[in-house]
Amino acid sequence: MTDKAGVERAVGALRAIGYYLERDRQPTHRVKAYRRAADTIAALPASEVRARRRAGTLTELAGIGPKTEAVIVEAMDGATPAYLVKLEEAAGELTSAGKRMRAALQADLHLHSEWSDGGSPIEEMARTAYRLGHKYLALTDHSPRLTVANGLSRERRLQQLEVVAELNKKLQAELDGFTILNGIEVDINEDGTLDCDTEILARLDVVVASVHSKLRMAAEPMTERMVRAIANPHVDVLGHCTGRLITGARGTRPESEFDAEVVFEACRQFGTAVEINSRPERLDPPKRLLSLAVEMDCVFSIDTDAHAPGQLDWQVYGCERAEDCGVTPERVINTWDQQELLEWTAP
């Protein structure tokens, strides 16, 4: 095995371990340890990594500890690292339900990269989505106001458009036409306006609008706020509509209060999909509201809101909830092919 091939095997093994740890909702510091190690050796000449492996000095590198060193050594020696084997064997189905819906999905329309508050490069998110069977995805990094999530300024958004255009040339050639759509998760301001200028919104393929602030405002103004955003011709998806948190490191948070019938009727009238958010700590909307949206003839988008590659596999949680509440595949916009979706999202 050449030095380059050995290092590539090691990088792949480290990233695969990170994927399985993310999928299993393991602590962030554990995931980062393996991703950091992968980044460290990927940035070095393969000959240096091989020399350090032979001299036993890999742990002198920043980000390489005894556990990650063991993975690197096993991979460079041509074996599948024992820890990766263990994780692969333990990685069963996340849920036995939702399979029919999941098989119908062609994309994930809400996910984040390291450009905002995600932990991985755009290309890694895209390649993982392709391996999971998707034909395209929408990259929806945050808008500027959400500074805690490193929201993109206008300048950074324009730069990202250029980066995605170049990356698509590469991915479409290598991954059977797989495409990254340009998107955004735009903050809904308190008055219902959007945290992004119209010129930028017009250049994007998919706009997910979400409430991230003043989640406890009274029901009437919250309803007005959401309806104004839904009515914006650039908005395609209403993200995690109640804002609730039901588990996880951030603790729990109650649902925002709003008139659900009014909000879902606005979604129906203005052609805005209700997101079925698959993150385990969100599972939003609750089933009683999801069932109401079904009764009111809304369309839906089943998304992961993934912030790391391993989280892209969580989509099946949303599929399970969709099937439980009577959502049919034809009413889910990311079961549609890319061209049909883009025709639908066009203002």
Side-chain angles (χ1 to χ4, degrees):
M1 184 183 299
T2 65
D3 290 351
K4 181 179 179 181
V7 172
E8 288 177 348
R9 278 182 59 87
V11 170
L14 290 164
R15 295 202 189 285
I17 289 170
Y19 170 86
Y20 284 112
L21 292 174
E22 289 163 350
R23 184 179 185 269
D24 195 41
R25 289 183 271 169
Q26 292 297 311
T28 301
H29 71 272
R30 292 189 63 200
V31 177
K32 285 185 175 180
Y34 288 92
R35 293 200 172 279
R36 190 181 306 115
D39 291 342
T40 295
I41 64 170
L44 295 174
S47 57
E48 180 180 343
V49 178
R50 173 65 70 180
R52 285 185 174 275
R53 181 259 176 274
R54 289 173 175 163
T57 61
L58 283 168
T59 55
E60 294 179 1
L61 296 169
I64 306 293
K67 292 183 179 179
T68 50
E69 178 193 34
V71 171
I72 294 168
V73 169
E74 290 176 86
M76 291 185 71
D77 286 349
T80 301
Y83 187 39
L84 178 55
V85 172
K86 178 182 177 181
L87 291 174
E88 289 174 336
E89 291 175 347
E93 292 182 329
L94 294 174
T95 174
S96 60
K99 292 181 179 179
R100 176 172 173 266
M101 182 67 77
R102 179 61 186 85
L105 294 180
Q106 298 197 38
D108 195 329
L109 301 182
H110 182 178
L111 56 92
H112 302 274
S113 75
E114 64 183 3
W115 281 65
S116 61
D117 60 343
S120 295
I122 299 169
E123 182 171 357
E124 187 173 356
M125 297 295 286
R127 289 185 180 277
T128 301
Y130 174 77
R131 286 196 299 271
L132 291 174
H134 288 315
K135 296 182 179 179
Y136 61 97
L137 63 77
L139 175 65
T140 55
D141 281 318
H142 288 285
S143 61
R145 180 180 174 185
L146 206 62
T147 54
V148 69
N150 193 28
L152 274 64
S153 65
R154 176 185 174 84
E155 292 72 23
R156 292 179 65 220
R157 183 73 59 183
L158 292 171
Q159 182 184 2
Q160 188 180 78
L161 291 176
E162 295 178 0
V163 168
V164 169
E166 288 302 310
L167 187 54
N168 271 333
K169 294 176 184 177
K170 176 181 179 182
L171 295 180
Q172 288 170 358
E174 296 179 7
L175 304 182
D176 302 321
F178 184 90
T179 303
I180 301 169
L181 302 182
N182 290 297
I184 187 173
E185 184 180 15
V186 63
D187 223 24
I188 300 175
N189 297 323
E190 290 177 45
D191 62 356
T193 57
L194 303 180
D195 179 38
C196 186
D197 66 73
T198 301
E199 181 185 347
I200 293 293
L201 292 174
R203 295 184 61 178
L204 301 176
D205 301 307
V206 177
V207 174
V208 178
S210 306
V211 173
H212 289 108
S213 61
K214 300 290 184 181
L215 294 167
R216 305 308 301 149
M217 64 191 300
E220 185 174 348
M222 178 64 88
T223 301
E224 293 174 357
R225 175 186 187 182
M226 295 171 74
V227 168
R228 183 175 182 185
I230 291 164
N232 187 301
H234 293 291
V235 172
D236 305 306
V237 180
L238 175 64
H240 47 70
C241 64
T242 78
R244 73 174 186 172
L245 294 175
I246 58 175
T247 188
R250 289 188 290 171
T252 60
R253 183 168 63 210
E255 300 169 23
S256 295
E257 297 180 1
F258 55 89
D259 188 325
E261 289 193 12
V262 171
V263 167
F264 293 152
E265 176 60 19
C267 287
R268 188 191 68 79
Q269 286 192 26
F270 292 103
T272 298
V274 176
E275 180 182 67
I276 302 175
N277 190 291
S278 304
R279 290 193 69 85
E281 69 267 33
R282 289 191 182 277
L283 297 179
D284 201 2
K287 286 186 177 180
R288 74 178 195 286
L289 294 183
L290 179 51
S291 296
L292 176 62
V294 173
E295 292 174 9
M296 297 187 68
D297 205 28
C298 293
V299 294
F300 303 91
S301 181
I302 303 176
D303 302 316
T304 60
D305 193 357
H307 288 64
Q311 297 173 9
L312 290 166
D313 219 7
W314 290 350
Q315 207 169 21
V316 69
Y317 292 134
C319 293
E320 178 182 25
R321 292 168 64 78
E323 290 186 354
D324 286 346
C325 294
V327 179
T328 54
E330 62 270 14
R331 290 174 65 178
V332 178
I333 64 172
N334 43 335
T335 67
W336 305 346
D337 66 37
Q338 180 181 318
Q339 187 58 42
E340 183 178 4
L341 177 85
L342 290 176
E343 290 174 359
W344 183 83
T345 61

